Amino acid sequence: MKTNHKPNFRKMVEPDRVRKEVYTDEEIFRHEMERIHETVWIYCGHESQVKNAGDYVTVQIGRQPMIMVRGKDRKINVLYNRCPHRGNMICGDMKGNTGDQFRCSYHAWTFHHDGRLKNIPMMESGYKGTRLTKDSPELCMKRAARVEAYRGFVFASLAKDGPTLKEFLGEAIVAFDDMCDRAPEGEVEIVPNCFRVIQHSNWKLFMENQIDALHPSVTHQSTGRAAHEVEKQLAKKAKSGEAPLSYHMLSAFATVTIDKWDNFQTINYPYGHCILTGYMGLRPQDPDTLAYDKVMIKAYGRKRFEEIVGVNIHHVLVYPGLSVQSPLQQLRAVRPLGVDRTLTEIWHFRLKGAPEAIYRRSLAYYNLVNSPATLINADDLENFWKCHTGLSSDGGDWVSFARHHGRDIENKGVVSSAPNMGTSEAPMRNQMKAWAKYMSGAAQEGSR
Amino acid sequence: MSDLQLQHDIEQFLYRQAELLDTKQWQAWTELFTADGIYWMPPDASYKTWDGQPAIFAEDRNLMAVRMGRVLHPDAWSQRPLWGTNHVVSNVVIRKAAKNGDVEVTSRFHMMELRRDDVRHFAGQYTHHLVKAKKGYAIRLQRVDMTNAQAAYDYVLQVWV
């Protein structure tokens, strides 16, 4: 439902600060769902999740329950998970194979994989002379207005007008190129396990935290230190003099201190996307990496290989709900559940054609950092809850994003943090600038 | 040893394991494991091995040392609020008792956790591969199949279940 009255969103966002209500107000949240999540391109899933005809997964876009399904024609459809008869959800499970058709559990209406009505029991006698005939569009499962995929990653937009997926992604498309190019076969395959974690805060806190280079050495100090202690002991004992890379993944949270994070850089784009450059030492010279390099050089030639592994990316954020760590093949999709509750769905991928040892690297990160027993996010989640509680109070009206404000480098709408200012709050300023644009309807004119 | 004596000894060992967790005696708990012991919580009961697959936990003694070090660090922010757990272990069934004294045993657990004012419940099956030690037993593998494994986690698991 479109609401007529709306708050003045532009007044809530100043260049270096944002009103607290943006994170806590339920009416603003409803507008966000309508103007942002249910309008722009939202990540649904990876093609390898629905390999066979009839394979489906359910996914939430904004407040809308959707189904991503593979048709007999191999095409992927995204449909509202709703029977046009009485509104019953068609799929109650999170994934499965629906066979040749969807069949509603309430009155046995059946539908093709693209949502077209297949049959209603006793259609002729039941609907003769009514407003409904077999070809009435309102007897079909409603389709997402637009569906597009890029290198296997499927997105849907619930607005019929707006930029194409490629236009929307812009430079952030590198998230998918970087991930797939690192595979000798140029493709990735999803590992069929999703870790799902709920945070007690607004979704924007997650998006800000992902590229907040200032927080790791503070928030994750305890884990970084503890891992570093064990890492040192293991290195002493090891023949190679080095501990397994997985310990470095954890210790880096403490050993990369704030001043070192300043060497990173953020590049920020008009739709709110952000690239955090920097590499956390993931191009080591151990035997596993060298074996992988060999396979890659054989697949791509040395010149192209150097280009691929030289891509300097730590994280790519696709606003408003996707965080991709392409060098480690991790992906987190953000699903807002309410103004103060947010679900993240966490996946990782296999590089097709890469040696097993390289997959294990991605797996180690997935298990240690991204599992529901994570040694890292436990403290982020604690912060999110504390932020939400503090922001809900009358102790202040603003959230500050002033760090290195005025020192960013802007070129044709693209904002980069200045050299040695990687901890600049430029990404948050840019996200909120994009937010204000979306909310006032200026970013993307479109209707469902 | 009689079956009853063995059953009794194994049960006492499992209770002790749970008690060490509930009383936050992390060091003593990790010392229950053999040098190559593994604590494993698969995301799905169909998994056959911890190695090379997604895992909620798949920790050897070294990773256990990291988790313990983190939890005890003064800046482990998420450890500040009051929290505690209570395990109940039951349905202890000895699946295999080898001649050398090693035992495979399954049991069911229920754990209630309090964190600030929030209560969570976790339940499932333990599978223990126990090795006969000089004094009692040591854990070669503790497999934890949680009924909630695939459910969305409201917050996360900070220590072993």
Side-chain angles (χ1 to χ4, degrees):
Chain A
M1 192 181 73
K2 301 257 175 197
T3 350
N4 291 328
H5 161 76
K6 68 170 194 234
N8 189 341
F9 300 114
R10 287 205 187 264
K11 277 202 169 155
M12 296 180 166
V13 179
E14 294 184 4
D16 63 342
R17 60 179 194 166
V18 174
R19 288 285 303 188
K20 65 172 184 184
E21 291 85 357
V22 164
Y23 297 84
T24 57
D25 185 277
E26 291 197 7
E27 194 190 341
I28 292 177
F29 178 79
R30 282 197 298 277
H31 282 288
E32 281 178 336
M33 292 303 101
E34 189 182 298
R35 292 271 164 151
I36 306 177
H37 293 75
E38 294 168 8
T39 298
V40 305
W41 289 102
I42 295 289
Y43 177 70
C44 296
H46 192 263
E47 285 178 358
S48 57
Q49 283 171 268
V50 287
K51 283 185 184 155
N52 304 310
D55 283 354
Y56 73 87
V57 295
T58 57
V59 59
Q60 190 88 5
I61 298 182
R63 297 157 297 183
Q64 313 301 322
M66 309 296 289
I67 306 168
M68 176 173 98
V69 60
R70 172 86 70 174
K72 277 187 256 182
D73 57 0
R74 306 297 302 153
K75 266 199 195 139
I76 290 177
N77 305 290
V78 178
L79 311 168
Y80 285 78
N81 190 1
R82 178 191 191 279
C83 182
H85 181 207
R86 299 275 190 88
N88 200 30
M89 285 217 306
I90 294 287
C91 296
D93 288 341
M94 285 164 59
K95 61 181 177 184
N97 185 291
T98 186
D100 281 349
Q101 62 189 21
F102 289 115
R103 184 172 184 273
C104 181
S105 61
Y106 202 0
H107 305 96
W109 289 28
T110 54
F111 304 90
H112 296 282
H113 294 142
D114 60 4
R116 276 179 302 124
L117 178 72
K118 196 169 175 190
N119 201 23
I120 294 174
M122 292 172 291
M123 173 93 201
E124 289 299 315
S125 55
Y127 287 88
K128 199 175 173 191
T130 72
R131 68 158 77 204
L132 297 174
T133 61
K134 201 162 183 181
D135 49 10
S136 302
E138 62 257 54
L139 290 184
C140 296
M141 287 170 71
K142 188 176 172 182
R143 298 165 59 83
R146 295 179 298 157
V147 180
E148 281 189 41
Y150 183 74
R151 298 194 77 163
F153 296 85
V154 182
F155 288 75
S157 159
L158 302 185
K160 63 182 194 294
D161 303 313
T164 64
L165 177 62
K166 270 193 169 182
E167 286 165 356
F168 174 72
L169 291 173
E171 296 288 318
I173 208 163
V174 72
F176 311 107
D177 285 332
D178 185 42
M179 200 194 289
C180 297
D181 289 347
R182 285 171 189 271
E185 293 174 21
E187 283 181 7
V188 294
E189 177 161 31
I190 204 159
V191 179
N193 180 71
C194 183
F195 286 142
R196 297 183 299 141
V197 175
I198 292 169
Q199 69 189 54
H200 288 235
S201 82
N202 191 263
W203 60 275
K204 293 188 290 298
L205 284 172
F206 181 90
M207 295 302 281
E208 290 160 6
N209 188 66
Q210 284 298 86
I211 31 70
D212 182 328
L214 194 56
H215 88 285
S217 55
V218 183
T219 303
H220 305 304
Q221 179 75 217
S222 61
T223 299
R225 285 279 154 236
H228 193 49
E229 285 310 308
V230 177
E231 185 183 24
K232 281 190 290 191
Q233 288 166 19
L234 291 175
K236 239 187 251 169
K237 281 188 235 160
K239 270 190 205 146
S240 64
E242 282 181 45
L245 190 64
S246 46
Y247 291 87
H248 175 74
M249 289 170 179
L250 294 175
S251 65
F253 282 95
T255 54
V256 182
T257 48
I258 290 183
D259 52 315
K260 285 192 209 155
W261 279 102
D262 260 333
N263 299 332
F264 287 54
Q265 194 183 28
T266 60
I267 311 167
N268 303 284
Y269 300 94
Y271 285 118
H273 313 324
C274 173
I275 296 173
L276 174 64
T277 67
Y279 209 45
M280 278 176 101
L282 284 170
R283 207 184 154 185
Q285 296 294 305
D286 58 280
D288 290 341
T289 309
L290 296 176
Y292 164 71
D293 289 356
K294 237 181 174 174
V295 181
M296 286 290 283
I297 291 166
K298 200 172 163 211
Y300 290 102
R302 181 165 286 281
K303 187 166 165 275
R304 179 74 187 116
F305 159 74
E306 286 295 340
E307 278 170 20
I308 290 170
V309 296
V311 172
N312 182 26
I313 281 181
H314 186 278
H315 243 113
V316 180
L317 270 199
V318 180
Y319 200 78
L322 193 62
S323 162
V324 184
Q325 222 165 339
S326 47
L328 286 162
Q329 299 90 49
Q330 316 277 315
L331 177 148
R332 295 194 251 193
V334 183
R335 314 288 180 196
L337 303 177
V339 68
D340 59 350
R341 270 169 74 82
T342 305
L343 172 72
T344 48
E345 298 170 342
I346 314 170
W347 297 90
H348 74 303
F349 296 82
R350 237 176 226 281
L351 299 174
K352 279 192 175 175
E356 179 69 12
I358 297 303
Y359 166 64
R360 296 238 171 176
R361 207 165 274 183
S362 163
L363 176 66
Y365 197 86
Y366 186 67
N367 285 347
L368 290 173
V369 176
N370 281 328
S371 95
T374 167
L375 289 157
I376 298 297
N377 294 345
D379 291 309
D380 289 322
L381 292 159
E382 172 79 3
N383 277 347
F384 296 158
W385 174 78
K386 282 153 85 176
C387 277
H388 184 80
T389 308
L391 287 171
S392 307
S393 79
D394 294 332
D397 293 331
W398 295 93
V399 172
S400 166
F401 294 135
R403 190 175 174 86
H404 293 315
H405 178 236
R407 301 189 189 120
D408 305 328
I409 300 161
E410 187 160 352
N411 186 13
K412 292 179 189 156
V414 178
V415 178
S416 305
S417 56
N420 299 315
M421 292 185 193
T423 62
S424 165
E425 281 164 342
M428 297 79 179
R429 291 192 286 271
N430 187 64
Q431 283 180 19
M432 287 316 306
K433 200 167 127 190
W435 182 89
K437 250 195 200 169
Y438 284 122
M439 293 294 275
S440 59
Q444 180 174 7
E445 290 305 330
S447 61
R448 261 171 285 156
Chain B
M1 196 190 311
S2 76
D3 287 356
L4 272 177
Q5 183 66 45
L6 180 66
Q7 179 79 20
H8 174 79
D9 289 353
I10 296 296
E11 283 179 0
Q12 291 300 313
F13 182 85
L14 295 179
Y15 300 159
R16 172 91 181 128
Q17 186 272 142
E19 186 183 24
L20 290 175
L21 288 176
D22 289 338
T23 51
K24 299 190 168 117
Q25 297 185 60
W26 313 126
Q27 182 64 38
W29 182 83
T30 62
E31 284 167 4
L32 292 178
F33 286 77
T34 61
D36 60 352
I38 297 287
Y39 177 89
W40 177 34
M41 185 187 287
D44 188 292
S46 68
Y47 283 36
K48 299 272 186 272
T49 171
W50 61 271
D51 189 32
Q53 301 194 83
I56 298 169
F57 291 83
E59 297 187 356
D60 59 11
R61 292 287 296 268
N62 292 321
L63 280 171
M64 289 178 202
V66 174
R67 188 174 294 275
M68 183 174 70
R70 172 193 127 61
V71 167
L72 295 174
H73 193 281
D75 290 344
W77 313 110
S78 64
Q79 293 295 311
R80 290 287 175 81
L82 170 77
W83 73 277
T85 61
N86 186 82
H87 284 74
V88 176
V89 179
S90 184
N91 308 16
V92 179
V93 181
I94 294 173
R95 303 285 171 181
K96 228 190 252 176
K99 282 211 175 89
N100 64 1
D102 294 357
V103 170
E104 283 182 35
V105 54
T106 61
S107 55
R108 292 271 162 183
F109 66 88
H110 188 278
M111 183 191 95
M112 173 271 204
E113 180 208 68
L114 176 76
R115 197 175 125 78
R116 292 201 179 88
D117 292 336
D118 297 327
V119 171
R120 296 193 296 177
H121 292 278
F122 297 96
Q125 177 173 270
Y126 281 142
T127 304
H128 281 92
H129 292 193
L130 303 178
V131 179
K132 192 87 186 79
K134 261 187 209 152
K135 243 181 106 190
Y137 292 91
I139 304 171
R140 181 172 283 150
L141 176 71
Q142 176 161 338
R143 173 177 176 151
V144 186
D145 284 292
M146 285 218 306
T147 308
N148 332 44
Q150 277 289 317
Y153 287 76
D154 199 330
Y155 195 61
V156 289
L157 299 166
Q158 299 201 57
V159 291
W160 311 280
V161 174

